[in-house]
Amino acid sequence: MGKLFGTDGIRGIVGENLTVELAFHTGQAIAAVLKEEKGRAPLITIGKDTRISSDMLESALICGICSVGGDVMPFGVLPTPAVAYLTVLKGADAGIVISASHNPFEHNGIKVFNEKGYKLPDATEARIEEKILSGETIPVATRGEIGVLHHGLKQSKLEYIHHLTTTIDSDLSGLRVLVDCANGAASATAPELFGRFKCYADFIHREPNGTNINDRCGSTHLESLGQRVVAGKYDVGVAFDGDADRCLMVDELGHEIDGDKIMAVCGAYMKRNGRLTGNTIVATVMSNLGLHEFCRRNGIDLVCTNVGDRNVLEKMVECGYKLGGEQSGHMIFTDYATTGDGQLSALQFLQILALSGKSASVLTADCPQYPQVLLNVAVSHDRGVKEAIMASDALKTAVADEEKFLRGEGRILVRPSGTEALIRVMVEARTESVAQLVAERLVKVIRSV
């Protein structure tokens, strides 16, 4: 991981550690590196979420790109996976997404896809980062070499929506669905997408004002969705995050359907239809023990990577696997996408639900869920703090002691967040009370280091 690029691009609080100047220089560096690689002026797409700062950062990036001779194709507000898809469709050299995903509105980020719709290789990110941090003077374009801005791209959104509709055969008739757009990018696409099917769909949190993205709504706050699903007698509720690359759900009883359960349902369906390459699902070390149990019972191999959809995708591409994802809601279906796509994931699940004739609670019941406690410990934003805590002997000893306490009937995972100043503590155990006790004891140790 570099000094600027984390696990999901450049992230920060706008005006503090993510500034207009940084965005401008990032645009210059991206275009310059691509120009060196391609031997010509690059074409770069840009999409953004609904944060108040996204327009400002977009303008700075465009100025930076055009100033060194790159051309820009802006899509406006669109989900992250839409930018990845359209970058390939339009034959662009790279795609930029301005978003901080599930984080609060004051955060934002810059992440980059290559011409094939995958996140940039580490080596390319390192070259971009070096140009930004070194203060290297990047030659600017003049006269007819200055980059141009492409216009009239509203049709691109419809091309992406059409692509999603082709990924399932069902018309979803008979389903009553409530969709939470998180006041984010899905607000620009979900109503049109679901309107192309015969399900009855209502929408909540689809009125972004720049500061309400992810605010007590979306995939990180399922409470209101669960309550409204039960009150409105919907069959299922669907929740996206700010940039709509994640999807979580609630069943007709208002209970959460997390990424593990979605992958279990989709994986079993794909296996029955001969589409689950290698009979394998790729998950992460955060996936619940219940998913492990489900896969054993259903003859499915479960391969676990380190946390992060980048790690999941790398393993999928390496081995040709078709389904992978994270408990938090990133699901990747490589038959249809090069990155996690919340709306695509929702359609895959809803098709299975419609064909099954079962309720969502019954459909997902075969995948058990062991009690799991996840606590986040805020730490200093100073560089190196998270790494020092993770390397401390006190934390290592505490984790070993707690693992002995669990006696093999649970597991512990302590890891630094890749995008925030947090240490995440996850504990699974036979009972929630034991998991909570162990997690809280570890949190005390982290705070004392």
Side-chain angles (χ1 to χ4, degrees):
M1 189 186 304
K3 295 178 180 179
L4 288 177
F5 284 90
T7 56
D8 203 21
I10 298 172
R11 288 281 183 91
I13 296 177
V14 179
E16 294 183 11
N17 54 348
L18 178 53
T19 62
V20 170
E21 292 80 8
L22 176 57
F24 173 76
H25 291 306
T26 300
Q28 283 191 314
I30 291 170
V33 168
L34 289 173
K35 193 173 184 179
E36 292 169 2
E37 289 183 352
K38 308 293 182 181
R40 55 172 172 76
L43 171 62
I44 301 171
T45 67
I46 293 185
K48 59 189 174 183
D49 70 16
T50 58
R51 292 165 210 271
I52 194 171
S53 60
S54 291
D55 291 345
M56 178 179 73
L57 294 176
E58 178 189 44
S59 297
L61 282 161
I62 291 173
C63 286
I65 294 166
C66 291
S67 73
V68 297
D71 293 342
V72 182
M73 185 178 286
F75 296 130
V77 173
L78 272 185
T80 288
V83 177
Y85 172 77
L86 290 169
T87 296
V88 178
L89 186 68
K90 300 297 182 182
D93 297 299
I96 297 175
V97 177
I98 303 165
S99 175
S101 189
H102 59 286
N103 289 346
F105 82 91
E106 62 268 22
H107 295 252
N108 217 325
I110 300 168
K111 53 187 169 185
V112 190
F113 294 105
N114 67 15
E115 74 278 6
K116 296 180 180 179
Y118 295 108
K119 291 181 180 179
L120 284 185
D122 292 340
T124 304
E125 282 189 351
R127 290 177 61 202
I128 294 170
E129 189 171 277
E130 175 62 23
K131 284 187 179 294
I132 299 169
L133 296 178
S134 68
E136 170 187 340
T137 299
I138 300 175
V140 296
T142 61
R143 302 178 184 273
E145 293 181 354
I146 294 172
V148 300
L149 193 65
H150 294 251
H151 296 280
L153 296 167
K154 291 184 178 179
Q155 182 65 26
S156 299
K157 178 177 76 171
L158 300 181
E159 291 175 311
Y160 167 68
I161 290 172
H162 173 72
H163 163 66
L164 292 181
T165 65
T166 66
T167 66
I168 62 173
D169 297 321
S170 171
D171 63 8
L172 305 183
S173 58
L175 290 181
R176 285 175 49 84
V177 184
L178 183 61
V179 181
D180 184 343
C181 297
N183 291 317
S187 304
T189 54
E192 169 79 17
L193 173 63
F194 284 89
R196 297 194 178 194
F197 295 94
K198 293 184 179 180
C199 58
Y200 177 86
D202 283 327
F203 301 87
I204 58 174
H205 304 127
R206 55 165 292 197
E207 298 178 354
N209 62 13
T211 62
N212 62 358
I213 187 171
N214 300 315
D215 184 13
R216 291 168 292 178
C217 60
S219 62
T220 51
H221 300 278
L222 295 173
E223 300 81 12
S224 66
L225 178 64
Q227 293 166 2
R228 295 190 191 196
V229 164
V230 173
K233 297 182 179 180
Y234 293 93
D235 296 306
V236 67
V238 176
F240 304 116
D241 66 339
D243 66 337
D245 65 349
R246 296 190 192 198
C247 169
L248 293 180
M249 301 185 185
V250 296
D251 63 25
E252 78 284 358
L253 304 176
H255 299 150
E256 178 180 347
I257 303 173
D258 67 9
D260 287 344
K261 287 182 174 287
I262 294 171
M263 285 192 291
V265 169
C266 292
Y269 177 81
M270 290 170 68
K271 182 185 178 186
R272 290 194 300 271
N273 288 275
R275 292 175 43 218
L276 191 65
T277 304
N279 283 334
T280 298
I281 295 174
V282 181
T284 76
V285 292
M286 285 293 288
S287 283
N288 193 275
L289 288 171
L291 179 60
H292 291 254
E293 182 179 315
F294 173 87
C295 288
R296 282 195 299 271
R297 284 193 278 105
N298 287 272
I300 296 173
D301 291 330
L302 186 66
V303 174
C304 289
T305 72
N306 289 331
V307 174
D309 59 322
R310 177 193 288 262
N311 297 319
V312 172
L313 181 59
E314 285 178 356
K315 177 59 67 173
M316 294 175 71
V317 172
E318 175 191 343
C319 301
Y321 298 137
K322 300 294 187 181
L323 174 62
E326 298 184 281
Q327 185 187 51
S328 59
H330 282 120
M331 270 76 67
I332 305 172
F333 295 82
T334 53
D335 279 334
Y336 311 114
T338 57
T339 188
D341 189 326
Q343 292 173 113
L344 170 63
S345 300
L347 292 180
Q348 302 307 306
F349 182 91
L350 291 174
Q351 172 174 248
I352 300 167
L353 179 62
L355 294 173
S356 72
K358 300 177 181 178
S359 65
S361 62
V362 171
L363 182 64
T364 57
D366 287 343
C367 183
Q369 191 165 37
Y370 286 71
Q372 185 181 82
V373 171
L374 178 62
L375 299 181
N376 294 320
V377 188
V379 299
S380 170
H381 285 81
D382 292 343
R383 197 174 304 281
V385 170
K386 289 187 288 188
E387 291 77 7
I389 292 172
M390 293 301 300
S392 70
D393 290 336
L395 179 57
K396 292 177 182 177
T397 299
V399 170
D401 289 344
E402 296 297 351
E403 286 175 339
K404 290 178 183 176
F405 175 76
L406 291 174
R407 299 177 182 177
E409 295 185 335
R411 64 189 183 115
I412 296 169
L413 180 65
V414 180
R415 66 178 186 89
S417 168
T419 58
E420 300 175 81
L422 299 172
I423 301 291
R424 304 193 192 279
V425 178
M426 188 278 287
V427 180
E428 284 177 358
R430 287 283 183 182
T431 66
E432 186 170 356
S433 60
V434 170
Q436 186 73 33
L437 174 65
V438 171
E440 290 177 353
R441 290 198 297 224
L442 288 171
V443 166
K444 287 181 181 178
V445 173
I446 291 170
R447 286 176 175 161
S448 68
V449 172

